[in-house]
Amino acid sequence: LEDAISRGRGAETRIVVTQPRRIAAISVAERVASERHDPIGNSVGYSVRFRRKPPRESGGSVEFVTTGVLLNRLVRDPSLEGVSHVVVDEVHERDVDTDFLLVLLRDL
């Protein structure tokens, strides 16, 4: 996000980062927001099952989600409209959901 901002493309950058567990998605989002000196829900947010603090709709943002949340989004929006980057973190902790997600992302 910082690189996109420095290149004048921050407003159109929307990054989604997967985490394998809910607690990881929430804690990493809180840490990144803290390091950016930005309240959670502004440029950094998270979405996990039963709990959301999404980033703002306009401007650049980073959203941390669980693999299951991203799979559900792909069901509703197969092209992930508005998402510029997807980062699949902790991919070495492979499971069926992660493998399925990688197959779907490959075909985007």
Side-chain angles (χ1 to χ4, degrees), residues 11 15 18 30 38 44 47 55 63 87 91 95 99 102 105:
I15 303 166
T18 67
E30 289 172 344
D38 202 11
V44 179
S47 293
E63 183 176 20
V87 178
V91 74
D95 62 5
D99 289 347
L102 291 173
L105 291 173

Side-chain angles (χ1 to χ4, degrees), residues 1 22 25 27 29 39 41 50 56-59 66 74 77-78:
L1 182 58
R22 296 176 53 179
S27 62
F50 305 127
R56 65 181 177 237
E57 289 293 322
S58 62
T66 57
L74 280 163
D77 179 11

